[in-house]
mmCIF file with all atom_site columns, all heavy atoms in Angstrom:
data_model
loop_
_atom_site.group_PDB
_atom_site.id
_atom_site.type_symbol
_atom_site.label_atom_id
_atom_site.label_alt_id
_atom_site.label_comp_id
_atom_site.label_asym_id
_atom_site.label_entity_id
_atom_site.label_seq_id
_atom_site.pdbx_PDB_ins_code
_atom_site.Cartn_x
_atom_site.Cartn_y
_atom_site.Cartn_z
_atom_site.occupancy
_atom_site.B_iso_or_equiv
_atom_site.pdbx_formal_charge
_atom_site.auth_seq_id
_atom_site.auth_comp_id
_atom_site.auth_asym_id
_atom_site.auth_atom_id
_atom_site.pdbx_PDB_model_num
ATOM 1   N N   . HIS A 1 83 ? -6.838  8.150  -15.081 1.00 85.00 ? 83 HIS A N   1
ATOM 2   C CA  . HIS A 1 83 ? -5.770  9.000  -15.609 1.00 85.00 ? 83 HIS A CA  1
ATOM 3   C C   . HIS A 1 83 ? -4.393  8.365  -15.364 1.00 85.00 ? 83 HIS A C   1
ATOM 4   O O   . HIS A 1 83 ? -3.537  8.361  -16.256 1.00 85.00 ? 83 HIS A O   1
ATOM 5   C CB  . HIS A 1 83 ? -5.855  10.386 -14.960 1.00 85.00 ? 83 HIS A CB  1
ATOM 6   C CG  . HIS A 1 83 ? -4.824  11.341 -15.446 1.00 85.00 ? 83 HIS A CG  1
ATOM 7   N ND1 . HIS A 1 83 ? -4.860  11.902 -16.698 1.00 85.00 ? 83 HIS A ND1 1
ATOM 8   C CD2 . HIS A 1 83 ? -3.710  11.833 -14.839 1.00 85.00 ? 83 HIS A CD2 1
ATOM 9   C CE1 . HIS A 1 83 ? -3.812  12.691 -16.856 1.00 85.00 ? 83 HIS A CE1 1
ATOM 10  N NE2 . HIS A 1 83 ? -3.105  12.668 -15.739 1.00 85.00 ? 83 HIS A NE2 1
ATOM 11  N N   . SER A 1 84 ? -4.192  7.809  -14.181 1.00 84.00 ? 84 SER A N   1
ATOM 12  C CA  . SER A 1 84 ? -2.907  7.179  -13.849 1.00 84.00 ? 84 SER A CA  1
ATOM 13  C C   . SER A 1 84 ? -2.633  5.972  -14.726 1.00 84.00 ? 84 SER A C   1
ATOM 14  O O   . SER A 1 84 ? -1.495  5.767  -15.171 1.00 84.00 ? 84 SER A O   1
ATOM 15  C CB  . SER A 1 84 ? -2.887  6.765  -12.378 1.00 84.00 ? 84 SER A CB  1
ATOM 16  O OG  . SER A 1 84 ? -2.938  7.889  -11.553 1.00 84.00 ? 84 SER A OG  1
ATOM 17  N N   . LEU A 1 85 ? -3.656  5.171  -14.979 1.00 79.00 ? 85 LEU A N   1
ATOM 18  C CA  . LEU A 1 85 ? -3.462  4.009  -15.855 1.00 79.00 ? 85 LEU A CA  1
ATOM 19  C C   . LEU A 1 85 ? -3.035  4.457  -17.248 1.00 79.00 ? 85 LEU A C   1
ATOM 20  O O   . LEU A 1 85 ? -2.150  3.856  -17.861 1.00 79.00 ? 85 LEU A O   1
ATOM 21  C CB  . LEU A 1 85 ? -4.750  3.187  -15.950 1.00 79.00 ? 85 LEU A CB  1
ATOM 22  C CG  . LEU A 1 85 ? -5.126  2.380  -14.721 1.00 79.00 ? 85 LEU A CG  1
ATOM 23  C CD1 . LEU A 1 85 ? -6.486  1.720  -14.912 1.00 79.00 ? 85 LEU A CD1 1
ATOM 24  C CD2 . LEU A 1 85 ? -4.065  1.331  -14.402 1.00 79.00 ? 85 LEU A CD2 1
ATOM 25  N N   . ARG A 1 86 ? -3.650  5.505  -17.731 1.00 78.00 ? 86 ARG A N   1
ATOM 26  C CA  . ARG A 1 86 ? -3.294  6.002  -19.063 1.00 78.00 ? 86 ARG A CA  1
ATOM 27  C C   . ARG A 1 86 ? -1.869  6.565  -19.079 1.00 78.00 ? 86 ARG A C   1
ATOM 28  O O   . ARG A 1 86 ? -1.142  6.384  -20.043 1.00 78.00 ? 86 ARG A O   1
ATOM 29  C CB  . ARG A 1 86 ? -4.315  7.026  -19.528 1.00 78.00 ? 86 ARG A CB  1
ATOM 30  C CG  . ARG A 1 86 ? -5.671  6.395  -19.779 1.00 78.00 ? 86 ARG A CG  1
ATOM 31  C CD  . ARG A 1 86 ? -6.755  7.397  -20.124 1.00 78.00 ? 86 ARG A CD  1
ATOM 32  N NE  . ARG A 1 86 ? -8.070  6.800  -20.040 1.00 78.00 ? 86 ARG A NE  1
ATOM 33  C CZ  . ARG A 1 86 ? -8.606  5.982  -20.945 1.00 78.00 ? 86 ARG A CZ  1
ATOM 34  N NH1 . ARG A 1 86 ? -7.935  5.658  -22.020 1.00 78.00 ? 86 ARG A NH1 1
ATOM 35  N NH2 . ARG A 1 86 ? -9.812  5.491  -20.775 1.00 78.00 ? 86 ARG A NH2 1
ATOM 36  N N   . GLU A 1 87 ? -1.458  7.209  -17.965 1.00 81.00 ? 87 GLU A N   1
ATOM 37  C CA  . GLU A 1 87 ? -0.078  7.711  -17.874 1.00 81.00 ? 87 GLU A CA  1
ATOM 38  C C   . GLU A 1 87 ? 0.925   6.574  -17.829 1.00 81.00 ? 87 GLU A C   1
ATOM 39  O O   . GLU A 1 87 ? 2.061   6.718  -18.259 1.00 81.00 ? 87 GLU A O   1
ATOM 40  C CB  . GLU A 1 87 ? 0.089   8.590  -16.635 1.00 81.00 ? 87 GLU A CB  1
ATOM 41  C CG  . GLU A 1 87 ? -0.392  10.002 -16.824 1.00 81.00 ? 87 GLU A CG  1
ATOM 42  C CD  . GLU A 1 87 ? -0.047  10.885 -15.640 1.00 81.00 ? 87 GLU A CD  1
ATOM 43  O OE1 . GLU A 1 87 ? 0.328   10.360 -14.559 1.00 81.00 ? 87 GLU A OE1 1
ATOM 44  O OE2 . GLU A 1 87 ? -0.136  12.099 -15.803 1.00 81.00 ? 87 GLU A OE2 1
ATOM 45  N N   . LEU A 1 88 ? 0.503   5.439  -17.251 1.00 78.00 ? 88 LEU A N   1
ATOM 46  C CA  . LEU A 1 88 ? 1.371   4.267  -17.182 1.00 78.00 ? 88 LEU A CA  1
ATOM 47  C C   . LEU A 1 88 ? 1.375   3.499  -18.503 1.00 78.00 ? 88 LEU A C   1
ATOM 48  O O   . LEU A 1 88 ? 1.907   2.405  -18.583 1.00 78.00 ? 88 LEU A O   1
ATOM 49  C CB  . LEU A 1 88 ? 0.932   3.339  -16.050 1.00 78.00 ? 88 LEU A CB  1
ATOM 50  C CG  . LEU A 1 88 ? 1.157   3.874  -14.639 1.00 78.00 ? 88 LEU A CG  1
ATOM 51  C CD1 . LEU A 1 88 ? 0.455   2.993  -13.613 1.00 78.00 ? 88 LEU A CD1 1
ATOM 52  C CD2 . LEU A 1 88 ? 2.641   3.975  -14.341 1.00 78.00 ? 88 LEU A CD2 1
ATOM 53  N N   . ALA A 1 89 ? 0.759   4.079  -19.523 1.00 71.00 ? 89 ALA A N   1
ATOM 54  C CA  . ALA A 1 89 ? 0.726   3.547  -20.881 1.00 71.00 ? 89 ALA A CA  1
ATOM 55  C C   . ALA A 1 89 ? -0.111  2.274  -21.003 1.00 71.00 ? 89 ALA A C   1
ATOM 56  O O   . ALA A 1 89 ? 0.156   1.428  -21.852 1.00 71.00 ? 89 ALA A O   1
ATOM 57  C CB  . ALA A 1 89 ? 2.136   3.324  -21.424 1.00 71.00 ? 89 ALA A CB  1
ATOM 58  N N   . VAL A 1 90 ? -1.107  2.142  -20.155 1.00 72.00 ? 90 VAL A N   1
ATOM 59  C CA  . VAL A 1 90 ? -2.056  1.047  -20.331 1.00 72.00 ? 90 VAL A CA  1
ATOM 60  C C   . VAL A 1 90 ? -2.910  1.415  -21.540 1.00 72.00 ? 90 VAL A C   1
ATOM 61  O O   . VAL A 1 90 ? -3.396  2.536  -21.653 1.00 72.00 ? 90 VAL A O   1
ATOM 62  C CB  . VAL A 1 90 ? -2.933  0.870  -19.068 1.00 72.00 ? 90 VAL A CB  1
ATOM 63  C CG1 . VAL A 1 90 ? -4.020  -0.166 -19.297 1.00 72.00 ? 90 VAL A CG1 1
ATOM 64  C CG2 . VAL A 1 90 ? -2.057  0.484  -17.880 1.00 72.00 ? 90 VAL A CG2 1
ATOM 65  N N   . GLY A 1 91 ? -3.082  0.494  -22.441 1.00 72.00 ? 91 GLY A N   1
ATOM 66  C CA  . GLY A 1 91 ? -3.818  0.766  -23.675 1.00 72.00 ? 91 GLY A CA  1
ATOM 67  C C   . GLY A 1 91 ? -5.273  1.117  -23.429 1.00 72.00 ? 91 GLY A C   1
ATOM 68  O O   . GLY A 1 91 ? -5.884  0.677  -22.443 1.00 72.00 ? 91 GLY A O   1
ATOM 69  N N   . ASP A 1 92 ? -5.828  1.917  -24.321 1.00 74.00 ? 92 ASP A N   1
ATOM 70  C CA  . ASP A 1 92 ? -7.208  2.370  -24.195 1.00 74.00 ? 92 ASP A CA  1
ATOM 71  C C   . ASP A 1 92 ? -8.202  1.218  -24.067 1.00 74.00 ? 92 ASP A C   1
ATOM 72  O O   . ASP A 1 92 ? -9.207  1.338  -23.367 1.00 74.00 ? 92 ASP A O   1
ATOM 73  C CB  . ASP A 1 92 ? -7.602  3.243  -25.386 1.00 74.00 ? 92 ASP A CB  1
ATOM 74  C CG  . ASP A 1 92 ? -6.974  4.624  -25.324 1.00 74.00 ? 92 ASP A CG  1
ATOM 75  O OD1 . ASP A 1 92 ? -6.557  5.033  -24.225 1.00 74.00 ? 92 ASP A OD1 1
ATOM 76  O OD2 . ASP A 1 92 ? -6.925  5.290  -26.374 1.00 74.00 ? 92 ASP A OD2 1
ATOM 77  N N   . LEU A 1 93 ? -7.939  0.118  -24.733 1.00 76.00 ? 93 LEU A N   1
ATOM 78  C CA  . LEU A 1 93 ? -8.854  -1.014 -24.661 1.00 76.00 ? 93 LEU A CA  1
ATOM 79  C C   . LEU A 1 93 ? -8.734  -1.767 -23.336 1.00 76.00 ? 93 LEU A C   1
ATOM 80  O O   . LEU A 1 93 ? -9.689  -2.393 -22.880 1.00 76.00 ? 93 LEU A O   1
ATOM 81  C CB  . LEU A 1 93 ? -8.613  -1.971 -25.826 1.00 76.00 ? 93 LEU A CB  1
ATOM 82  C CG  . LEU A 1 93 ? -8.916  -1.394 -27.213 1.00 76.00 ? 93 LEU A CG  1
ATOM 83  C CD1 . LEU A 1 93 ? -8.544  -2.388 -28.297 1.00 76.00 ? 93 LEU A CD1 1
ATOM 84  C CD2 . LEU A 1 93 ? -10.375 -0.999 -27.324 1.00 76.00 ? 93 LEU A CD2 1
ATOM 85  N N   . ALA A 1 94 ? -7.572  -1.685 -22.689 1.00 77.00 ? 94 ALA A N   1
ATOM 86  C CA  . ALA A 1 94 ? -7.354  -2.400 -21.432 1.00 77.00 ? 94 ALA A CA  1
ATOM 87  C C   . ALA A 1 94 ? -7.781  -1.590 -20.212 1.00 77.00 ? 94 ALA A C   1
ATOM 88  O O   . ALA A 1 94 ? -8.015  -2.157 -19.148 1.00 77.00 ? 94 ALA A O   1
ATOM 89  C CB  . ALA A 1 94 ? -5.880  -2.781 -21.305 1.00 77.00 ? 94 ALA A CB  1
ATOM 90  N N   . VAL A 1 95 ? -7.887  -0.272 -20.347 1.00 81.00 ? 95 VAL A N   1
ATOM 91  C CA  . VAL A 1 95 ? -8.218  0.579  -19.199 1.00 81.00 ? 95 VAL A CA  1
ATOM 92  C C   . VAL A 1 95 ? -9.546  0.181  -18.553 1.00 81.00 ? 95 VAL A C   1
ATOM 93  O O   . VAL A 1 95 ? -9.612  0.030  -17.328 1.00 81.00 ? 95 VAL A O   1
ATOM 94  C CB  . VAL A 1 95 ? -8.184  2.069  -19.578 1.00 81.00 ? 95 VAL A CB  1
ATOM 95  C CG1 . VAL A 1 95 ? -8.795  2.940  -18.481 1.00 81.00 ? 95 VAL A CG1 1
ATOM 96  C CG2 . VAL A 1 95 ? -6.752  2.521  -19.851 1.00 81.00 ? 95 VAL A CG2 1
ATOM 97  N N   . PRO A 1 96 ? -10.629 -0.015 -19.308 1.00 85.00 ? 96 PRO A N   1
ATOM 98  C CA  . PRO A 1 96 ? -11.891 -0.388 -18.644 1.00 85.00 ? 96 PRO A CA  1
ATOM 99  C C   . PRO A 1 96 ? -11.796 -1.692 -17.843 1.00 85.00 ? 96 PRO A C   1
ATOM 100 O O   . PRO A 1 96 ? -12.364 -1.792 -16.755 1.00 85.00 ? 96 PRO A O   1
ATOM 101 C CB  . PRO A 1 96 ? -12.880 -0.530 -19.804 1.00 85.00 ? 96 PRO A CB  1
ATOM 102 C CG  . PRO A 1 96 ? -12.317 0.331  -20.882 1.00 85.00 ? 96 PRO A CG  1
ATOM 103 C CD  . PRO A 1 96 ? -10.823 0.224  -20.743 1.00 85.00 ? 96 PRO A CD  1
#
Side-chain angles (χ1 to χ4, degrees):
H83 181 72
S84 295
L85 287 175
R86 293 175 194 283
E87 279 187 346
L88 291 169
V90 174
D92 286 340
L93 295 176
V95 169

